[in-house]
């Protein structure tokens, strides 16, 4: 008995009401599985709304149905749809549109989902794509030159759009939206 170190016993494991015995999986609700084909069909419906001139309806439709339970491909398709919608909306229409969404039923949750997509889009825009690394050519001086011609919209323009949406969203929804997004376990 004298050889046993009593200070190494974790007494929290012996208490049934201890936080150490609490399963963290009970905090997160089960997410419905969403296939990439379902997201693709939703994306085509949303793009139809966008082509019809209902940009607010398209944005709301995309944000009210995030594929939380989808695989990575489904989430990428939905992210591309949301970014396409955001890029199609004029800057003068941002604040009034966000105010209308914020004032409607469930508006806070919809804007929180938008904040999630803004952060996800910013993280994707900052990563170098394979197309940009392929277009680097070494110069005779030893430096590399990155060719940005012919690539359509660059990552800088997409980042600028996302940052202006972020600015307007924080103006309308406040910094609480950032906190809620950072603490939410559901990812888009």
């Amino acid at each position: 008995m004298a050889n046993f170190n009593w200070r190494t016993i974790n007494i929290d494991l012996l208490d049934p009401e201890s936080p150490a015995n609490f399963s963290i999986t009970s905090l997160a609700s089960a997410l419905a599985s969403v296939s990439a084909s379902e997201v693709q069909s939703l994306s085509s419906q949303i793009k139809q709304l966008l082509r019809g001139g209902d940009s607010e309806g398209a944005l709301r439709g995309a944000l009210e149905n995030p594929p939380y339970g989808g695989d990575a491909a489904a989430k990428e398709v939905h992210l591309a749809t949301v970014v396409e919608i955001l890029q199609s909306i004029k800057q003068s229409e941002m604040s009034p549109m966000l105010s209308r969404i914020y004032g409607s039923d469930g508006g806070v949750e919809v804007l929180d989902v938008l904040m999630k997509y803004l952060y996800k889009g910013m993280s994707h825009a900052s990563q170098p794509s394979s197309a940009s690394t392929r277009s680097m050519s070494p110069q005779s001086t030893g430096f590399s030159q990155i060719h940005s011609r012919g690539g359509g919209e660059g990552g800088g323009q997409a980042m600028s759009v996302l940052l202006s949406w972020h600015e307007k969203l924080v103006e309308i929804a406040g910094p609480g939206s950032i906190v809620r997004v950072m603490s939410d376990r559901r990812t888009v």
Side-chain angles (χ1 to χ4, degrees):
M1 266 318 208
N3 294 339
F4 189 75
N5 187 358
W6 295 99
R7 287 178 239 173
T8 60
I9 296 176
N10 187 356
I11 60 170
D12 288 331
L13 293 177
L14 303 175
D15 183 13
E17 295 183 16
S18 170
N21 295 326
F22 184 74
S23 173
I24 198 157
T25 58
S26 65
L27 293 176
S29 60
L31 301 173
S33 179
V34 180
S35 68
S37 62
E38 292 175 30
V39 173
Q40 189 66 37
S41 70
L42 177 67
S43 174
S44 63
Q45 293 172 1
I46 290 170
K47 288 178 184 178
Q48 186 66 29
L49 280 173
L50 190 61
R51 282 190 292 272
D54 186 12
S55 55
E56 184 173 347
L59 181 62
R60 190 176 262 289
L63 297 177
E64 287 177 348
N65 303 305
Y68 288 131
D71 58 347
K75 290 182 178 186
E76 289 298 320
V77 167
H78 204 70
L79 173 66
T81 304
V82 171
V83 171
E84 181 181 340
I85 293 168
L86 295 177
Q87 288 178 335
S88 70
I89 297 173
K90 297 176 189 167
Q91 191 162 5
S92 61
E93 298 173 356
M94 287 181 192
S95 292
M97 185 182 295
L98 289 174
S99 296
R100 286 191 301 270
I101 292 173
Y102 185 70
S104 66
D105 289 337
V108 174
E109 291 82 15
V110 170
L111 293 184
D112 287 350
V113 173
L114 175 59
M115 185 68 81
K116 289 179 185 182
Y117 278 109
L118 292 176
Y119 285 137
K120 179 115 181 205
M122 285 184 223
S123 72
H124 280 273
S126 65
Q127 295 173 353
S129 66
S130 60
S132 67
T133 53
R134 260 189 264 131
S135 65
M136 288 188 351
S137 63
Q139 300 293 309
S140 59
T141 59
F143 295 106
S144 295
Q145 179 179 0
I146 298 177
H147 302 286
S148 61
R149 293 181 292 255
E153 291 185 357
Q157 186 174 358
M159 181 65 81
S160 174
V161 169
L162 295 174
L163 285 172
S164 40
W165 273 98
H166 185 272
E167 176 188 7
K168 300 293 183 187
L169 184 56
V170 171
E171 271 180 28
I172 306 267
S177 177
I178 298 171
V179 174
R180 289 187 297 272
V181 166
M182 293 297 173
S183 62
D184 196 355
R185 294 185 171 273
R186 299 171 300 171
T187 59
V188 293

